[in-house]
């Protein structure tokens, strides 16, 4: 899922966020990994954060476990 998100445009995020195959666990793991590299200018991190901004509008409600990640 992560390569798909990294290649996606902002317009693609709605469909990805609303898909039956919820990407939030993969995204959370990737964000945590990229944050651990201590490079806040990483374009992949930026792309994933943009996705999270749209995810909140288009995805079904998160479970408590997903939110805690």
């Amino acid at each position: 899922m992560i390569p798909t998100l990294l290649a996606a445009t902002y317009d693609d995020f709605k469909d990805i966020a609303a898909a039956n195959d919820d990407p939030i666990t993969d995204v959370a793991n990737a964000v945590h990994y990229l944050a651990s590299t201590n490079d806040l200018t990483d374009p992949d991190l930026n792309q994933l954060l943009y996705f999270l901004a749209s995810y909140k509008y288009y995805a079904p409600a998160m479970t408590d476990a997903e939110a805690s990640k």
Side-chain angles (χ1 to χ4, degrees), residues 6-61:
L6 295 179
T9 65
Y10 191 78
D11 291 335
D12 298 326
F13 289 167
K14 179 179 179 180
D15 291 334
I16 295 169
N20 287 334
D21 186 19
D22 192 343
I24 197 61
T25 298
D26 292 338
V27 172
N29 290 335
V31 167
H32 280 287
Y33 168 75
L34 290 170
S36 75
T37 66
N38 222 14
D39 181 6
L40 296 178
T41 63
D42 187 312
D44 292 346
L45 178 59
N46 191 46
Q47 178 79 345
L48 294 174
L49 293 175
Y50 274 122
F51 172 75
L52 288 175
S54 66
Y55 181 87
K56 69 182 178 180
Y57 294 110
Y58 302 116

